[in-house]
Amino acid sequence: MVKWQGRRQSRNVEDRRGAAAAGGAGILLMLLRLIIGRFGIRGLLFVGVIGVGLYMAGVNPMALLQGGGVGQQQAEPIDDESSQFVRAVLAETEDVWSRLFEEAGSDYPEPTLVMFTGNTQSGCGFASSGTGPFYCPADQKLYLDVGFFRELAQRFGAPGDFAAAYVIAHEVGHHVQTVTGISNQVRTAQQRARGEAEANAYQVMMELQADCYAGVWAHYADRMGQFLDAGDIAEGLKAAEVIGDDALQRGAGQEVKPEKFTHGSSAQRQRWFTQGYRSGSVDACDTFNTQDL
Ligand SMILES: [Zn+2]
């Protein structure tokens, strides 16, 4: 069990749960997009004419829109267990990475974590629960649908709160890659890549490095804050196993095709997480210059 109770809570969490259908403004925006998308600007003008007509007849069109949203409008942060857990884990990543950046002579720009249910808008486009947790470099935010934790436990059979912490730490790893410029270098290399297989290979190196960074985080979370206990690392390894590309391909009834990997095999993900965890060294996570990925 991750010992997260009674710990510092990060303030960098944006709680958008229950906000998906929020308020009249959100619905109006969605409707406008829909109308412009389907009927173009002329469609919008037509709706405008109807709106003015309603207004003149004494009906407030906004009230009509808001009517459906009552009861879903409160999007205040909910102070429940998942929120406290996520805030505590994020705070722990802030403490560890701030220290590592400081040792390297720079400041760690803390990312924001967005908790959502259903769907939400990100700096990288529309996000839904089907997307899975991800990091968006454009707005430097982590997007986390809390339902994913349940799915991790039920569908993938990786229970335990460390599995969830590992997922957060992995996404924070992508943030670190972004602020250190690694992500940009990878993108440039991918643009020069000949074919999909080579571009995917770069993607795998990047993902395995994020796993290794999650391991580095676990190393210090363990030593600095006694955040973890004995079973946690085993849970993390189990999570790494079930989300390996070969396991996912097999689970989907497909043939295992390494050239289609984008995150690495179960064995690779476990190995790089362990590498980071044992060494506690960012330098040990150079997945781009290794003979043995
Ligand atoms: Zn990733």
Side-chain angles (χ1 to χ4, degrees):
M1 286 287 285
V2 176
K3 286 167 262 172
W4 57 271
Q5 267 125 335
R7 287 185 178 260
R8 182 173 84 77
Q9 304 261 304
S10 170
R11 281 166 301 159
N12 300 317
V13 172
E14 222 178 275
D15 196 346
R16 294 189 196 162
R17 290 174 298 168
I27 294 174
L28 186 65
L29 213 71
M30 259 168 63
L31 269 177
L32 286 181
R33 271 205 203 106
L34 203 79
I35 292 162
I36 295 176
R38 278 198 84 153
F39 305 107
I41 291 294
R42 264 201 276 166
L44 193 63
L45 284 176
F46 179 68
V47 172
V49 167
I50 291 192
V52 170
L54 281 171
Y55 188 76
M56 287 172 76
V59 182
N60 176 5
M62 281 305 285
L64 288 178
L65 285 170
Q66 281 163 354
V70 176
Q72 295 171 342
Q73 289 195 28
Q74 78 277 30
E76 280 154 33
I78 316 161
D79 188 32
D80 58 357
E81 267 211 350
S82 10
S83 145
Q84 290 165 12
F85 173 79
V86 166
R87 284 169 200 275
V89 172
L90 190 65
E92 199 65 26
T93 64
E94 289 162 357
D95 292 349
V96 168
W97 285 108
S98 298
R99 188 181 128 172
L100 291 173
F101 270 61
E102 202 184 299
E103 281 171 10
S106 58
D107 275 336
Y108 175 61
E110 296 172 349
T112 298
L113 189 154
V114 178
M115 288 173 84
F116 71 96
T117 44
N119 54 60
T120 195
Q121 203 55 246
S122 85
C124 299
F126 188 71
S128 77
S129 36
T131 319
F134 69 97
Y135 171 75
C136 171
D139 57 12
Q140 304 207 346
K141 290 181 180 177
L142 285 73
Y143 289 84
L144 188 71
D145 166 38
V146 268
F148 178 78
F149 292 155
R150 236 167 298 131
E151 194 178 284
L152 199 65
Q154 289 165 359
R155 201 172 121 207
F156 298 133
D161 46 10
F162 186 75
Y166 161 77
V167 169
I168 295 173
H170 171 97
E171 300 309 333
V172 169
H174 287 313
H175 173 66
V176 171
Q177 290 172 321
T178 297
V179 297
T180 54
I182 291 173
S183 306
N184 259 337
Q185 290 171 21
V186 171
R187 222 155 293 128
T188 308
Q190 281 179 319
Q191 276 154 10
R192 291 198 196 118
R194 277 151 306 180
E196 198 192 346
E198 195 183 324
N200 283 350
Y202 282 118
Q203 191 62 34
V204 169
M205 291 174 199
M206 179 126 143
E207 292 299 334
L208 292 176
Q209 184 173 61
D211 284 335
C212 189
Y213 284 177
V216 170
W217 168 74
H219 174 96
Y220 288 103
D222 209 0
R223 281 162 186 74
M224 278 165 58
Q226 281 88 46
F227 195 66
L228 311 177
D229 77 17
D232 286 333
I233 298 305
E235 271 178 23
L237 290 173
K238 177 74 189 162
E241 186 190 331
V242 296
I243 54 179
D245 284 327
D246 47 348
L248 292 178
Q249 287 177 349
R250 236 178 268 122
Q254 295 161 0
E255 207 182 313
V256 174
K257 290 193 179 126
E259 72 276 11
K260 295 262 182 213
F261 284 4
T262 52
H263 285 73
S265 69
S266 300
Q268 285 174 316
R269 299 199 70 168
Q270 289 183 324
R271 185 146 49 79
W272 283 99
F273 174 78
T274 308
Q275 169 102 339
Y277 176 66
R278 291 226 179 104
S279 66
S281 156
V282 171
D283 295 337
C285 296
D286 191 359
T287 52
F288 298 95
N289 296 294
T290 176
Q291 295 298 319
D292 183 29
L293 197 63

